[in-house]
Amino acid sequence: MALSPRSAAPAEGARAPDPLAPPPRVFVEKAKNALRLAAVDRAAARRGLAPGLTLADARARLPDLAVVDHDPVADAAFLETVADDCDRWTPLVALDAPDGLVLDITGCAHLFGGEAAMRVRLLAHLHRHGLGAGAVVAGTPDAARALVRAGRGGIVAPGGEARAVAPLPVLRLGVDEAVVTGLSRAGLKTIGDLAERPATPLAARFGAELLTRLNRTLGHEDIRIVPRRPLPAAIAERRFAEPIARAEDIEATLALLVDDLALMLEARGEGGRAFEAAFFRADGAVRRLTIETARPSRDGAALARLWHEKIEALADPIDPGFGFDLVRLAVLRAEPLTPAQVSLDGRAVEEEEVAALIDRLAVRLGRERVLRVLMRDTHDPGRASALIPAAQASATSPTLSLALPADLPPRPLSLFDPPQPIEALAEVPDGPPLRFRWRRVVHEVARAEGPERIAPEWWRLPEGTALPATRDYYRVENREGRRFWLFRAGLYGRESGEPRWFLHGLFP
């Protein structure tokens, strides 16, 4: 199904304009070195104005015009808002810029009484919100788009796309203006004219893209739309004849939807990792909330508690307006979940409790604020550890390693990032330091252990990047008993440049 804005056309013998009505409004933009009409309202369209007309000509016809600058960014944002509201009809909604939408209603029409009833309800819904639109249901997105932008409406019978689009001008194929001009000069002005011609000469003269668009518009070739939001793994929803607004009703509805999703996921042997609740207001606004879990889950009671905490922790409470007439719960990401054997040492229970704690903290504080340390299998201190969201570091992920390499010497818990330069004096060029100066204080070295030589990981560097200097690390202790982790960057006589000393960390 394709949607496009629809304005009233001027009619002969129309009634005289109401003197108390607001003046016709037009939106203008600069094009071809002149201010031209980008869009007109219904009053301006009834009086003969159309997009593309220069503002000077429009004012000559209607001196009392109300002129507004065209704002494409605001138009795009408004189209996104309308697309959000159209998610109530199908989860597969694509933008058809600058002012259209394409809905894939395969498998959805029967929920609304069939294609005809669904089309009527959708247009009535948009009309209640002050939007004039046309809608065409066809077998392919391109056919529906061409028909609705030509001002047609209704439902095209299966297999009838070629007959329906034949009278349309070739402009409705969506090809470049140069191609349209060339086709017109060749006497091919309608899609039906193109359909009667051999394909090979058309492709040779106007390119293969013309044939591709022609076949899709005629219904000979179908291509699925690319929805603006990914298709969820599972969806459960509740519609209300009377919109709901109380927080208790909202949470009770979410609990019912969680139970519905749990049954779906159990039948598939899966658990959800990311969930989204969408609240559709009666006035067309949509509010979405998401939660994530550290492990795949289909525990209805635990998920209901997470939703309760999510709603309670909102800095901006959900505004129901005139109420929500649709609440939808979707599983954005699912993973296999099979019953696990509980170990006798109780570790499985502990892991489940830790995962539940991570879920609650992430819901209250935010996923990016609940972190855990990830230890990487590398000798490079700069890459040895990283902070990642705790929900991401699940036990089921095979790419995470939470153990240090077994052959690593002791390292300090606190590191300087970046390492701090120091002045050091060594007995021999490649030997440990005898003393060093750090922050204007001289430290006499009483004991030293090392070196631990760490070469750069050349395979991780982009091609053509110079190799960093080799590092020799030393664990040293001064006469006061304080312990430091130093390194010398560079090798005497074997690497270019003068070796330099740095302090990388402090031992407790």
Side-chain angles (χ1 to χ4, degrees), residues 1 90-92 103-110 115 118 138-139 222 224:
M1 179 187 295
T90 171
L92 300 177
L103 283 63
D104 189 343
I105 61 173
T106 305
C108 301
H110 69 282
E115 294 178 348
M118 181 179 184
D222 189 11
R224 297 294 90 190

Side-chain angles (χ1 to χ4, degrees), residues 10 17 22-26 37 40-50 53-67:
R25 177 176 299 181
V26 297
L37 306 188
V40 299
D41 67 357
R42 294 180 180 179
R46 292 191 190 101
R47 300 176 70 173
L49 302 186
L53 189 67
T54 62
L55 178 60
D57 292 341
R59 285 194 183 278
R61 299 182 188 182
L62 300 176
D64 59 339
L65 275 181
V67 180

